[in-house]
Amino acid sequence: MMLKVTTAADLQTERLELEADAVVVGSGAGGAVMAYELAAAGKRVVVLEAGPYVPSSRFNEKFPDMLELLYEEHGNQANKAGDLLVLQGRCLGGSTVVNGCVAFRVPDFILEKWGREFGLTNLTPESLAPYFDKVERNLSIHTNQPHEINRNSQKLQAGAETLGWSVKPLNRNIRDCALTGHCLSGCKTDRKQSMLVTYLPWASHYGAKIYSDTRVTRILAEQEHGQVNAQANRYGKVQGVEAETIDPLTGRKVADVRVKAPLVVAAAGAVQTPLLFLHSQLGNASGQVGRNFACHPSTMIVAEFAEEIFTWQGAMLGVYVDEFEHPDKGGFVLEGGGAGPVELGMATEPGTGAAYLDFMSRAKHYASCVSLIHDHNVGRVSLVDGQKRIEYAIDERDFPAIKAAFKAAARIYFAAGAERVFLPTGDKWVIESVEQIDAVVDPIENHPFALRMVSYHPQGTMRMGSDPARSVVNPYGESHQVKGLFVSDASLFPTSIIVNPQESVYALSHYIAEHILARAEHYFA
Amino acid sequence: MGRLEQCQSDYNNQMDLKPVSSSLLRDLTGHLQPLSRRRFVANSMRLLLLAGSGPLLAACSGPSRPPIQSMQYLDAGQAELFQRLSEVLLPTEGTALTSRTEVPVVANVDTLYGYLPPQTQADLSTAMDLFEHAGLVLGLHFSRFTRMTDSAAHSYIEQWQQGHSLQQGIIMVLKKLVYASYWRDEQTWGPLQFPGPVSERWGLTSLGETPLPGNEPIGGKA
């Protein structure tokens, strides 16, 4: 069954005027859950998604093709320096369509930190548990079973167990996984419980109207004196949004769209949501919009074994090492993650020319894992001459965690019998034995292009907090300044959460939706 | 026409050097070489990149290559650079891997380049110019990259990879474009035993939309 979506090709008018109780900007983890919860409660909801609607029948399991079709900037979104690829879904369903299915609750110690440092005392493991429980039920989030742990992850597991380090099966939101290993290209047979097959059709069932190819250009707000003016950087009330529907094939504008609504939820992700606020010149009295960007850098460590591994076969992500998860123990996790030739071919490089081809020719012998760290919020998303700019460099405080992750991964792989370990560095760094680990890793210095990094989980640019001077939105996701203007995506996180964020966004969005509905007369009267 | 004049004529015909931003030039020349050589490097780079001319004999070094057509996005010089890079980076001859010549690497680079935002294209274009011509004044190569011998070109790439972070950045981006353009071709997967798409081959059926769940409110705890 095709999801009911109005695309650019469907529009017969150059000007579309809509009225709703709530307009949701973005259809990923935050937007889809919000749309469903509000629609199920009887609210008239409009969802505006900038990306195209790509039904799963068009997913061809070829990663380069899908990068170009489903990802922001065709998979080329990067920081200003060019040494960090920021991969986000840009399609109906957002990043939930192209992620690796890994699902975590926010770690308790992160919530404690949020309460202590940002006044988010309302967000506790206990208060959020019912929301996590519900999204876990709805999205078939379960712990990987033995058949979902492929040879790649078995190596990580075996090595960690040999060292006596904690290693666990990952939780994933998937039904009857077909073990194709093509998660990052979208799930062709709809086993991944992305928003495309869950919350969006459920929202549609309750009457939510979904528009793809429609980019919101401005949030409209009414100032205290009653004038609709996007220049309001003061207290006011949201009025709706303006948007443009663009033909994804030609890039030409098809229609101007205006949605009048007393509630606007920005859920366009940690890069686009702050840009929308900045474009709208709204809600930034604190000056924090776009600041505090944490890219949650991911690097891939590759290990060569004598036997064949076929890292790309089976469930893409199987187990993770959480021995060092707490910042006091290192502040990083290692996830057994597979990779195809394109990803492997760019993850590391032990030499130029023949050396590189020799490395690639033995691809079936490699195991791979990705490291994730609890990075500091040192980056920024901003508008410069009207254009997006992402600034992020690994902070000196975070570099030791990255190097510690390299060392831990190398120890694990050698304990599992690896012959050598390749590091994800700009230069050629190969570890030939466990005795070499420190000697190889210690000299690695922090500078641009030192690492081959990817950000799969950008977060933190619309900081949530109780202090209006230090945050953009309050502890329930509402702008400190503009009544009825909410944020519901990973940009809310006041710090990075170490682990994959999708489940936390689902739960937080659900939490915020319930807050809105509990005060319906306040927003919808 | 004498050899020097012929070289100049050929060079000018083939070159379409673009002005380099002063900040990039400052950054590059400030770091490409040890302090003692900075002034020499800076002056040389200016001569090369701003005046649009260079050491003519050096430009003529190495064997001449058959002309390469411009592509949809890459001009002829850029296409030639990627052609040469693919030859040096992907020496598939004598390996079990798919021959580089069977894969439209440069055409694939052209497609990828076309997807980049205009500013990124402009920056990359400048980076390509620097990489192509810096060998005329740096590292005793005295040659444009596309005119270097295989061993010199290999050595030049390695120097950039181990050089200043700006050099590392440029060569990493160029390499990634070449590698992605090679490995994206399905013909290259067989020798690695990478199966590519499997769902249709395995006869997998879509599970479709997930049935609507019950939706009891949590209970006003928010």
Side-chain angles (χ1 to χ4, degrees):
Chain A
M1 188 170 68
M2 290 281 282
L3 180 57
K4 195 173 169 186
V5 180
T6 302
T7 69
D10 298 323
L11 284 183
Q12 303 296 319
T13 176
E14 293 180 356
R15 182 151 196 90
L16 188 63
E17 301 274 352
L18 301 168
E19 200 163 325
D21 294 319
V23 56
V24 178
V25 184
S27 62
V33 171
M34 179 64 67
Y36 166 68
E37 294 295 343
L38 296 181
K43 302 304 172 194
R44 295 171 303 154
V45 176
V46 168
V47 179
L48 302 179
E49 166 58 50
Y53 170 38
V54 185
S56 57
S57 56
R58 288 183 58 198
F59 301 163
N60 70 1
E61 299 183 330
K62 297 175 187 174
F63 186 50
D65 291 352
M66 295 300 99
L67 269 176
E68 289 158 16
L69 182 65
L70 302 174
Y71 286 69
E72 184 71 36
E73 289 189 30
H74 309 287
N76 292 307
Q77 182 173 252
N79 65 341
K80 179 170 175 278
D83 63 349
L84 173 72
L85 201 56
V86 183
L87 289 183
Q88 292 180 288
R90 188 180 187 275
C91 55
L92 197 69
S95 295
T96 71
V97 174
V98 293
N99 68 19
C101 306
V102 172
F104 281 97
R105 297 186 179 199
V106 190
D108 291 355
F109 64 86
I110 295 287
L111 290 176
E112 288 163 15
K113 183 174 184 177
W114 289 2
R116 196 171 56 246
E117 298 183 12
F118 302 98
L120 300 179
T121 51
N122 56 317
L123 301 179
T124 64
E126 294 73 29
S127 70
L128 289 176
Y131 302 94
F132 280 119
D133 289 343
K134 189 170 166 186
V135 297
E136 286 169 1
R137 277 197 307 275
N138 286 350
L139 297 176
S140 300
I141 293 174
H142 69 283
T143 301
N144 273 337
Q145 298 303 294
H147 72 282
E148 294 170 295
I149 298 172
N150 64 3
R151 265 175 291 188
N152 183 54
S153 274
Q154 287 168 11
K155 284 296 178 190
L156 193 71
Q157 185 171 24
E161 286 174 351
T162 299
L163 295 169
W165 292 349
S166 176
V167 56
K168 298 186 174 87
L170 286 159
N171 290 345
R172 295 189 303 147
N173 59 323
I174 196 159
R175 285 197 299 153
D176 193 16
C177 179
L179 310 178
T180 67
H182 287 298
C183 292
L184 301 190
S185 298
C187 189
K188 186 172 181 60
T189 54
D190 299 313
R191 283 117 205 288
K192 181 194 295 184
Q193 296 298 280
S194 77
M195 298 300 95
L196 208 48
V197 295
T198 56
Y199 279 89
L200 287 173
W202 301 342
S204 178
H205 172 84
Y206 284 111
K209 299 191 184 317
I210 302 170
Y211 294 81
S212 65
D213 312 316
T214 302
R215 186 175 67 93
V216 175
T217 53
R218 197 165 70 138
I219 299 167
L220 302 172
E222 179 185 64
Q223 286 188 319
E224 285 174 310
H225 48 75
Q227 181 186 6
V228 176
N229 187 342
Q231 301 299 317
N233 244 338
R234 303 177 53 211
Y235 293 87
K237 188 174 185 327
V238 80
Q239 297 286 299
V241 300
E242 289 179 346
E244 295 176 341
T245 300
I246 307 289
D247 182 336
L249 298 177
T250 65
R252 282 205 296 256
K253 183 164 76 174
V254 172
D256 287 306
V257 180
R258 188 179 177 103
V259 187
K260 187 177 174 193
L263 192 97
V264 172
V265 181
V271 175
Q272 295 298 332
T273 290
L275 293 177
L276 177 58
F277 271 59
L278 292 169
H279 270 299
S280 306
Q281 296 182 283
L282 276 177
N284 194 22
S286 66
Q288 294 299 301
V289 171
R291 295 186 183 274
N292 311 305
F293 173 62
C295 90
H296 204 215
S298 172
T299 59
M300 178 177 283
I301 300 111
V302 177
E304 181 175 355
F305 288 84
E307 67 266 40
E308 295 174 344
I309 305 292
F310 295 107
T311 178
W312 50 75
Q313 285 184 359
M316 190 187 152
L317 286 136
V319 303
Y320 73 112
V321 176
D322 64 341
E323 176 76 17
F324 309 97
E325 181 175 345
H326 196 283
D328 292 344
K329 295 187 74 177
F332 65 88
V333 295
L334 299 168
E335 298 180 353
V342 172
E343 306 95 291
L344 262 182
M346 292 189 282
T348 186
E349 191 190 28
T352 295
Y356 172 73
L357 293 185
D358 182 54
F359 164 77
M360 286 301 293
S361 68
R362 287 176 281 123
K364 66 184 177 184
H365 293 276
Y366 298 142
S368 53
C369 70
V370 294
S371 68
L372 293 170
I373 67 163
H374 181 40
D375 61 328
H376 287 79
N377 299 63
V378 295
R380 184 178 183 186
V381 174
S382 60
L383 280 175
V384 179
D385 297 330
Q387 300 297 311
K388 167 177 64 179
R389 176 179 286 179
I390 303 172
E391 293 167 281
Y392 184 90
I394 293 289
D395 193 80
E396 285 298 335
R397 292 168 293 177
D398 296 327
F399 205 64
I402 290 178
K403 289 168 71 168
F406 290 173
K407 289 184 178 183
R411 288 192 196 287
I412 289 169
Y413 281 134
F414 283 120
E419 296 182 337
R420 60 186 58 82
V421 173
F422 303 95
L423 297 180
T425 47
D427 214 344
K428 298 176 290 187
W429 295 99
V430 182
I431 308 173
E432 299 285 352
S433 69
V434 70
E435 291 77 20
Q436 285 187 0
I437 292 175
D438 290 346
V440 172
V441 176
D442 286 342
I444 300 174
E445 295 179 350
N446 183 19
H447 59 73
F449 293 98
L451 304 175
R452 296 166 188 260
M453 296 185 296
V454 178
S455 167
Y456 295 103
H457 314 135
Q459 49 199 269
T461 48
M462 301 291 285
R463 177 170 276 173
M464 179 188 249
S466 59
D467 181 357
R470 295 177 57 227
S471 55
V472 180
V473 297
N474 71 19
Y476 298 94
E478 187 174 15
S479 165
H480 285 300
Q481 297 166 259
V482 184
K483 182 182 168 189
L485 176 56
F486 283 80
V487 174
S488 182
D489 57 36
S491 66
L492 291 172
F493 298 172
T495 70
S496 70
I497 64 169
I498 295 189
V499 293
N500 311 53
Q502 67 161 336
E503 186 183 342
S504 300
V505 176
Y506 298 138
L508 205 50
S509 182
H510 190 354
Y511 177 87
I512 293 169
E514 287 245 341
H515 168 82
I516 292 168
L517 292 169
R519 292 154 190 79
E521 75 288 347
H522 188 65
Y523 298 111
F524 301 115
Chain B
M1 188 182 286
R3 174 170 165 74
L4 194 63
E5 288 76 14
Q6 182 62 53
C7 281
Q8 182 161 32
S9 174
D10 291 349
Y11 186 75
N12 288 342
N13 287 339
Q14 291 171 24
M15 300 290 294
D16 182 22
L17 291 175
K18 298 170 179 62
V20 178
S21 75
S22 56
S23 61
L24 182 57
L25 185 68
R26 193 166 53 243
D27 199 6
L28 184 74
T29 55
H31 297 284
L32 282 181
Q33 291 287 327
L35 287 173
S36 61
R37 295 195 61 203
R38 277 188 183 174
R39 179 172 296 175
F40 165 73
V41 173
N43 289 337
S44 303
M45 293 298 285
R46 277 198 185 85
L47 273 173
L48 271 169
L49 300 170
L50 297 179
S53 61
L56 301 175
L57 287 171
C60 289
S61 68
S64 61
R65 301 170 57 80
I68 291 180
Q69 299 291 314
S70 62
M71 312 198 78
Q72 187 173 358
Y73 303 103
L74 298 173
D75 64 32
Q78 292 167 337
E80 184 183 10
L81 172 68
F82 279 109
Q83 177 64 36
R84 185 69 184 124
L85 268 171
S86 70
E87 291 166 2
V88 179
L89 295 176
L90 301 168
T92 50
E93 300 83 358
T95 73
L97 298 174
T98 303
S99 171
R100 173 192 70 251
T101 59
E102 293 175 30
V103 178
V105 175
V106 181
N108 289 345
V109 171
D110 188 58
T111 301
L112 289 174
Y113 187 79
Y115 280 128
L116 298 173
Q119 185 56 51
T120 308
Q121 285 186 355
D123 290 344
L124 186 54
S125 176
T126 301
M128 284 187 260
D129 273 347
L130 288 171
F131 181 77
E132 165 72 345
H133 299 102
L136 291 164
V137 294
L138 299 176
L140 302 176
H141 293 287
F142 306 115
S143 173
R144 295 162 54 181
F145 172 73
T146 52
R147 302 298 173 83
M148 292 177 188
T149 63
D150 285 354
S151 63
H154 186 279
S155 160
Y156 182 67
I157 291 170
E158 292 274 288
Q159 280 180 347
W160 276 63
Q161 188 112 28
Q162 290 159 27
H164 178 259
S165 58
L166 195 66
Q167 287 176 288
Q168 278 191 3
I170 289 172
I171 190 59
M172 279 176 68
V173 169
L174 296 178
K175 279 183 164 184
K176 282 185 176 181
L177 283 167
V178 171
Y179 294 156
S181 296
Y182 176 77
W183 294 114
R184 71 171 299 149
D185 191 298
E186 291 178 58
Q187 298 176 86
T188 66
W189 300 345
L192 304 187
Q193 295 179 248
F194 176 69
V198 292
S199 288
E200 289 181 6
R201 201 183 317 152
W202 292 354
L204 298 174
T205 55
S206 168
L207 298 188
E209 291 172 3
T210 301
L212 195 69
N215 192 36
E216 296 303 315
I218 297 295
K221 292 179 184 174

